[in-house]
Amino acid sequence: MRITIDSADQPFIHRLLGEEIEQIDIPSADPRLSLALQVARQQKNHEADLDWKRNALFLFLFVFLYVVLGASLTLDLTAQAPSHKSLVYALEAVPVLIAFSGLFVSLLFLFFTRSSARRLRSWDHSIFVLEKYTGSNLYLQVNEMGARTTNYSQSAINIALALFICVTWVVMYNYFTFTTSGVIGSVISLFITTMTYVILDIQLLKSGTSIAIDEPLIPAEEDKDKK
């Protein structure tokens, strides 16, 4: 049985095999496709495992920041007022600094969840395509089972959670800045929040760009023979 490769899947198969193929024999498909399918499944499971570990680490860090922020708010500066006003101002700025730290970490958490969701979607798409041309549709069938109103995306849930945490830290950071510095400080904090997001977005996008390889890599043995 021969299956004609869809035009939408042609670029993926071409980049994977390094040659243009219009049809594939099923079940005696190219062994490279079966190997790629196995690697894609393993890598997808590895990404999912790293995803929940990373989320647990960030949530633990957020709980720690919430506890530290709450402890800083319980400080009574009027009971034992320091002799220098500069020290009083420094103590009043502690909640602001903690809130900004939480804001920065929450932005990183948001970018992490978006990046993880993109990678998981890429692996899912790779598995769907590879199963189509290796005679196995198990992954597709399992995902379509019970796909009704409760078929929520786990990646979308993680992004929603990260966005909610990020918004709470934005509100707290601007609120504490307003209580310590007034309206001008609140406007400045909004500007700092926007610039922090933009700068992180640009820098992380730069580091995530793919590296183009101009020349093919030469194995070590072939390289020695040429020398």
Side-chain angles (χ1 to χ4, degrees):
M1 178 181 178
R2 299 180 65 86
I3 297 180
T4 302
I5 300 178
D6 297 337
S7 58
D9 301 331
Q10 279 284 358
F12 177 82
I13 300 297
H14 175 64
R15 288 193 300 266
L16 179 63
L17 301 180
E19 56 181 334
E20 294 184 0
I21 299 177
E22 296 183 356
Q23 292 182 340
I24 294 180
D25 293 329
I26 299 297
S28 60
D30 195 315
R32 291 174 294 178
L33 294 178
S34 300
L35 179 60
L37 176 59
Q38 182 181 359
V39 173
R41 288 171 174 171
Q42 293 176 353
Q43 189 62 29
K44 201 259 183 182
N45 294 332
H46 179 67
E47 289 286 347
D49 185 58
L50 290 179
D51 194 19
W52 78 263
K53 290 181 179 179
R54 182 171 53 248
N55 291 346
L57 178 62
F58 270 104
L59 292 177
F60 175 79
L61 183 58
F62 286 130
V63 171
F64 173 76
L65 290 174
Y66 285 133
V67 172
V68 173
L69 180 61
S72 66
L73 294 176
T74 59
L75 293 176
D76 189 4
L77 300 179
T78 60
Q80 296 178 353
S83 57
H84 299 284
K85 288 187 176 182
S86 58
L87 187 56
V88 177
Y89 295 148
L91 293 175
E92 291 178 349
V94 169
V96 179
L97 295 176
I98 298 175
F100 180 76
S101 300
L103 169 64
F104 186 82
V105 175
S106 65
L107 287 175
L108 292 180
F109 181 46
L110 179 61
F111 288 123
F112 264 119
T113 51
R114 287 179 176 176
S115 177
S116 176
R118 180 191 60 81
R119 290 195 303 271
L120 288 176
R121 284 195 301 268
S122 298
W123 287 117
D124 284 338
H125 176 71
S126 301
I127 293 174
F128 290 153
V129 174
L130 291 172
E131 282 191 343
K132 184 190 302 182
Y133 302 109
T134 55
S136 174
N137 291 322
L138 176 63
Y139 196 77
L140 179 62
Q141 295 295 330
V142 170
N143 279 272
E144 288 182 350
M145 290 176 61
R148 297 183 179 89
T149 56
T150 57
N151 188 28
Y152 302 116
S153 171
Q154 184 176 355
S155 299
I157 294 174
N158 291 334
I159 293 176
L161 175 62
L163 185 61
F164 171 76
I165 294 175
C166 186
V167 170
T168 58
W169 282 108
V170 169
V171 172
M172 287 190 294
Y173 173 57
N174 286 274
Y175 172 75
F176 292 129
T177 307
F178 173 76
T179 56
T180 55
S181 303
V183 178
I184 297 178
S186 181
V187 173
I188 295 175
S189 66
L190 285 174
F191 175 77
I192 293 175
T193 301
T194 305
M195 293 305 299
T196 302
Y197 177 84
V198 172
I199 292 173
L200 282 176
D201 192 12
I202 294 175
Q203 293 299 320
L204 293 176
L205 284 176
K206 285 183 179 180
S207 61
T209 53
S210 58
I211 301 175
I213 301 177
D214 297 330
E215 298 181 359
L217 298 177
I218 302 176
E221 296 180 357
E222 296 182 3
D223 194 9
K224 291 181 180 179
D225 295 338
K226 289 187 176 182
K227 290 182 179 179

